[in-house]
Amino acid sequence: MIRAREGQGDDVAWLSDEELCDELLTLVLAGHETTATAIGWACDLLAHNRAVAGRLRDDHDHAYVKATAKEVLRARSVVYVSAGRHVLEPFEVGRWVIGPETLILVDAQGVHGDPELYPEPEAFRPERFLEQPPDGYAYIPFGGGAHRCLGAALATLELELFIETLVERADLAPDGPPARAVRRSVTLAPGNDGRVRVAGVRSPAVAVAARSGRELRRDRRLGPSSAPTDRRTIWI
């Protein structure tokens, strides 16, 4: 970015210090803080919904992994205002008339918690994205339309890979009640800093075997090297 420039020859403009700071701030907030916060929420939700974690670990179903990632972003909207639009011409919404140049902010958290769109919105149910997936304007963690987040595909892939690896390598357990959302800059983050307990750890060899689809014994007694370790607390 320091070398970025516009123009040619003598008419060259370099990024100012203020523009560089703006670009770096965007990179940190939009490209790191949001994904890290989503990972923290995934840990909290999987620790409190161990049946979901068990199905992820036992079924090796990539479609269910993708559905779980989507449900994390629905149940815990990381960016509560996911989009903004300027009105071009007057239009009516109920008994109100929205005038030109009005800025409309889209409440992603409200949309994702609407029981008409998502029955039992407080429940963590990845199956809802397999049974009856919502349309593009009912699921908006990255905004909607042509101006949705440019990093949506990468952020989703990162979250899916994290969830898949996590359930293969570790068993999580709660370290208290479910986290409450607190505002952190432009995001809603876990109020307990994503704190969960690691109730058990699997060796990399066991994780590879699980990923390849080999049948593992139900009692999970896999020898001393991969037996659950002592419980510990981690912060995400």
Side-chain angles (χ1 to χ4, degrees):
M1 286 190 289
I2 293 176
R3 295 179 179 178
R5 58 184 179 180
E6 293 180 332
Q8 295 180 348
D10 296 331
D11 187 21
V12 174
W14 302 84
L15 289 177
S16 66
D17 289 347
E18 183 178 0
E19 289 170 329
L20 280 172
C21 288
D22 288 343
E23 294 292 340
L24 289 172
L25 187 60
T26 300
L27 182 63
V28 171
L29 289 179
H32 170 75
E33 177 71 13
T34 49
T35 305
T37 301
I39 286 173
W41 279 123
C43 290
D44 183 74
L45 288 165
L46 291 174
H48 286 89
N49 295 272
R50 303 185 75 176
V52 174
R55 177 174 173 179
L56 286 165
R57 182 172 56 250
D58 296 337
D59 288 1
H60 316 301
D61 182 356
H62 187 59
Y64 193 68
V65 174
K66 292 172 71 68
T68 301
K70 289 181 178 179
E71 180 69 345
V72 168
L73 296 175
R74 181 208 68 82
R76 300 293 185 267
S77 300
V78 174
V79 180
Y80 44 93
V81 177
S82 65
R85 296 291 186 270
H86 280 282
V87 177
L88 298 180
E89 58 185 38
F91 73 95
E92 295 183 3
V93 178
R95 59 190 178 89
W96 292 278
V97 177
I98 310 299
E101 296 305 316
T102 301
L103 174 62
I104 298 178
L105 300 178
V106 181
D107 177 16
Q109 189 178 26
V111 172
H112 293 161
D114 187 344
E116 293 187 9
L117 298 173
Y118 299 98
E120 299 180 87
E122 297 302 320
F124 183 66
R125 291 185 55 252
E127 293 81 4
R128 71 175 83 241
F129 285 93
L130 300 175
E131 298 163 355
Q132 192 174 0
D135 64 46
Y137 289 95
Y139 175 72
I140 52 173
F142 302 103
H147 299 285
R148 70 196 299 263
C149 175
L150 290 174
L154 177 59
T156 301
L157 177 62
E158 288 178 306
L159 184 57
E160 291 171 1
L161 289 174
F162 172 80
I163 290 172
E164 189 173 31
T165 303
L166 175 67
V167 297
E168 289 176 352
R169 298 290 183 89
D171 292 322
L172 299 186
D175 191 54
R180 299 185 63 179
V182 297
R183 183 173 176 178
R184 181 185 294 165
S185 184
V186 296
T187 65
L188 290 176
N192 64 354
D193 295 326
R195 187 167 58 247
V196 295
R197 286 191 298 110
V198 177
V201 177
R202 292 176 176 77
S203 70
V206 173
V208 170
R211 182 173 294 180
S212 67
R214 297 177 185 173
E215 184 176 0
L216 301 180
R217 290 180 294 176
R218 287 290 177 182
D219 58 9
R220 300 293 179 185
R221 286 176 287 188
L222 303 171
S225 63
S226 56
T229 64
D230 57 314
R231 294 177 177 177
R232 67 193 76 177
T233 299
I234 61 172
W235 287 262
I236 302 300

